[in-house]
Amino acid sequence: MSKIGIIIKREYLNRVSKKSFLILTFLTPILFSALIFVPLWLSSIKGDEVKNVVILDRTGVYAPLFENTDNYKFIAGTESLENYKASDDKSVFAILSITDNLLENPKAATLYSEKQIPGELSRIVNQTLSRYLENAKMATYNIPNLKEIIKESQIKFEINTIKWSEDGGESESSALVASIVGMLFTVISYMFIMVYGAMVMQGVMEEKTNRIVELMVSSVRPFQLMMGKIIGIGFVGLTQMLLWAILTLTLIMGGQFLFMGGTVDAQMMQQGAMMSANGTMPGMAEASQEPAVKILGMLQTINWAEIGFFFVIYFIGGYMLYASVFAAIGSAVDSQEDTQQFMTPIMVFMMFSLYAGIYSMENPDGPLAFWCSIIPFTSPIVMMIRLPFEIPLWEKLLSIGLLYITFIGIIWFSAKIYRVGILMYGKKPTIKEMIKWLKYK
């Protein structure tokens, strides 16, 4: 086995066997799934307390409109607003005061409470009064069937988007679905480069601080040491992300069955069987399945094989580019505090890449998206947004070519800084001094 291979094996096995790696690998999917399903479960739990809301309606028109809910009970007031405010009775949560005709004076309704008014209560009051006032306003025009006319005139138009293939076949597509898929891969690329690039820098600094590197460079070249560390940690990241994907998918599917599947699916199958046996309402089951079938059809229009292939290509190029820079920074400094002046430009590039990708969602063929997918320091992230929209092949090849040429050049520069920096102690180098290191043979 080559020396680089030995270093890769050491880095990989040393990190995946740590307890922190195992705990983080198995705990993260659980936390991620909990973020999805725990709020869903908590939101389904209804509180036992029903709050009383007193209505003081001088007009006598609006109080009968309010209906009790699971959380609020509306009761007609028998005392003045001042008496309710001065009372020690804590059974009244809020007071709705209506002093005039709301069509003529919309400011005549006010909701009082000793505590902050919940959004749910405000929404109930606003919707109830708005619905009545709309009907009352339409009635003042004395136009027969005005309500039905307005209802029929409210048309929500949504154009169908069809994508055709080279063989003439057609399938329904969606820019929203393509943008979500692209954004998912963009965030994965950004997180991987940031997390594991910083891990490379931290590993180099630890070995330099512990003086372990002085023994290692006596048997291997600094370039071999740097490349072994970068590739080894890259394999650690790929392993962890693969396990995250498998575990997260498993937990989400299990959570769907536990919280939303199981009983609901059984009931739907039973209802479908009954309707088929009775021959009644055959379109209801089809209508309930239509949204899911539509989304699956849109997902099938995306070339997953192509996106997966180019994702790996950009993944490797982007990680190698930034990880080599992180390794050079880690070799040049002695402490975490000294990395700030060198990390700032890298963070600016990374943040710019992420925001450029976000803003490119609306116009994946615009100048911002095009140039940021060509520039090597931004292309590994921004190109992920554009791939689901099937950009020309020459743009992909040009972007990949520039990315790999750049990362090879950056590795060469980083190796020169690395071989000098790992043996420098006690002094924080300036950028000018690091440039001088490039001239050493």
Side-chain angles (χ1 to χ4, degrees):
M1 183 181 291
S2 65
K3 293 181 179 180
I4 293 181
I6 294 173
I7 297 170
I8 293 172
K9 182 179 178 180
R10 170 188 171 274
E11 286 291 335
Y12 181 80
L13 295 178
N14 183 47
R15 292 181 182 275
V16 298
S17 60
K18 288 183 177 179
K19 291 183 179 180
S20 59
F21 175 86
L22 298 175
I23 292 173
L24 187 62
T25 299
F26 290 98
L27 188 61
T28 299
I30 296 174
L31 293 176
F32 181 76
S33 302
L35 288 174
I36 297 176
F37 292 108
V38 170
L40 179 65
W41 173 64
L42 292 176
S43 64
S44 64
I45 300 176
K46 300 294 184 180
D48 297 331
E49 182 183 4
V50 178
K51 299 180 176 65
N52 294 322
V53 180
V54 172
I55 302 177
L56 301 177
D57 182 13
R58 293 183 183 179
T59 65
V61 175
Y62 305 104
L65 302 175
F66 291 90
E67 298 179 355
N68 297 332
T69 66
D70 293 336
N71 297 324
Y72 298 99
K73 180 181 180 181
F74 296 93
I75 55 179
T78 57
E79 302 181 23
S80 64
L81 177 62
E82 289 72 18
N83 290 341
Y84 278 111
K85 287 182 177 181
S87 175
D88 295 331
D89 186 8
K90 300 298 181 181
S91 63
V92 176
F93 176 76
I95 305 165
L96 175 60
S97 174
I98 304 175
T99 59
D100 199 359
N101 188 335
L102 296 179
L103 278 177
E104 300 175 356
N105 184 12
K107 300 293 184 181
T110 307
L111 191 60
Y112 297 89
S113 178
E114 188 176 358
K115 300 180 180 179
Q116 183 69 30
I117 301 293
E120 181 186 7
L121 178 58
S122 298
R123 186 167 56 253
I124 292 172
V125 173
N126 290 332
Q127 290 177 351
T128 302
L129 295 177
S130 296
R131 189 162 50 245
Y132 175 82
L133 293 175
E134 286 176 4
N135 295 331
K137 186 66 176 179
M138 285 189 289
T140 61
Y141 293 108
N142 295 322
I143 300 177
N145 302 323
L146 178 60
K147 184 176 180 181
E148 288 74 14
I149 295 173
I150 293 177
K151 185 177 181 180
E152 292 178 359
S153 66
Q154 294 176 347
I155 300 175
K156 182 181 179 181
F157 181 80
E158 184 176 353
I159 192 167
N160 292 324
T161 54
I162 302 297
K163 175 185 173 184
W164 72 79
S165 58
E166 295 180 356
D167 58 0
E170 295 183 351
S171 56
E172 192 166 1
S173 63
S174 171
L176 178 61
V177 173
S179 297
I180 292 174
V181 172
M183 196 63 207
L184 177 63
F185 284 103
T186 296
V187 173
I188 292 174
S189 298
Y190 175 81
M191 290 180 60
F192 183 91
I193 293 172
M194 287 294 297
V195 172
Y196 296 102
M199 191 180 294
V200 171
M201 183 180 67
Q202 190 67 33
V204 173
M205 290 175 58
E206 288 177 359
E207 291 180 353
K208 181 180 178 180
T209 303
N210 297 332
R211 301 296 179 97
I212 298 175
V213 72
E214 296 179 2
L215 298 175
M216 299 180 69
V217 295
S218 63
S219 57
V220 296
R221 294 166 53 196
F223 176 78
Q224 294 173 327
L225 182 60
M226 185 187 78
M227 290 302 298
K229 183 173 288 293
I230 291 174
I231 297 173
I233 293 178
F235 281 134
V236 172
L238 288 173
T239 302
Q240 193 169 53
M241 295 192 71
L242 179 62
L243 291 174
W244 280 349
I246 295 173
L247 292 173
T248 301
L249 184 61
T250 303
L251 289 171
I252 289 178
M253 293 178 63
Q256 286 179 336
F257 179 81
L258 181 63
F259 289 98
M260 296 174 287
T263 306
V264 177
D265 292 341
Q267 291 177 353
M268 290 181 63
M269 292 177 62
Q270 184 179 3
Q271 291 176 0
M274 291 175 62
M275 288 188 292
S276 299
N278 297 333
T280 58
M281 301 175 67
M284 182 177 292
E286 296 178 2
S288 64
Q289 296 176 359
E290 184 177 348
V293 173
K294 189 175 182 181
I295 292 174
L296 288 175
M298 292 176 182
L299 290 174
Q300 290 175 355
T301 63
I302 296 175
N303 193 337
W304 293 101
E306 180 184 357
I307 293 176
F309 172 76
F310 282 106
F311 173 74
V312 173
I313 297 297
Y314 280 100
F315 203 66
I316 295 172
Y319 169 74
M320 294 295 290
L321 189 152
Y322 279 99
S324 60
V325 175
F326 283 128
I329 294 173
S331 67
V333 297
D334 294 329
S335 63
Q336 190 72 36
E337 293 76 15
D338 295 336
T339 63
Q340 298 304 317
Q341 67 171 352
F342 302 111
M343 285 295 296
T344 300
I346 308 300
M347 293 299 299
V348 169
F349 269 114
M350 295 294 294
M351 291 300 297
F352 175 78
S353 301
L354 181 62
Y355 282 105
I358 294 173
Y359 289 119
S360 298
M361 290 177 64
E362 290 294 325
N363 187 11
D365 294 321
L368 175 66
F370 173 79
W371 289 110
C372 288
S373 63
I374 298 297
I375 298 172
F377 286 96
T378 57
S379 61
I381 296 175
V382 178
M383 185 59 84
M384 294 299 102
I385 283 288
R386 302 188 65 203
L387 285 177
F389 293 92
E390 300 186 359
I391 61 176
L393 179 61
W394 70 267
E395 292 186 20
K396 302 173 187 175
L397 296 179
L398 175 62
S399 175
I400 292 172
L402 291 175
L403 174 62
Y404 275 70
I405 291 173
T406 303
F407 101 64
I408 292 172
I410 291 295
I411 286 177
W412 182 80
F413 281 109
S414 298
K416 284 185 168 291
I417 296 174
Y418 184 86
R419 69 177 183 176
V420 178
I422 55 175
L423 299 176
M424 298 285 290
Y425 296 96
K427 179 185 177 183
K428 182 174 68 174
T430 63
I431 296 178
K432 186 177 180 180
E433 290 175 334
M434 294 175 66
I435 293 175
K436 290 182 179 179
W437 295 351
L438 299 176
K439 301 177 182 179
Y440 298 159
K441 294 182 179 180

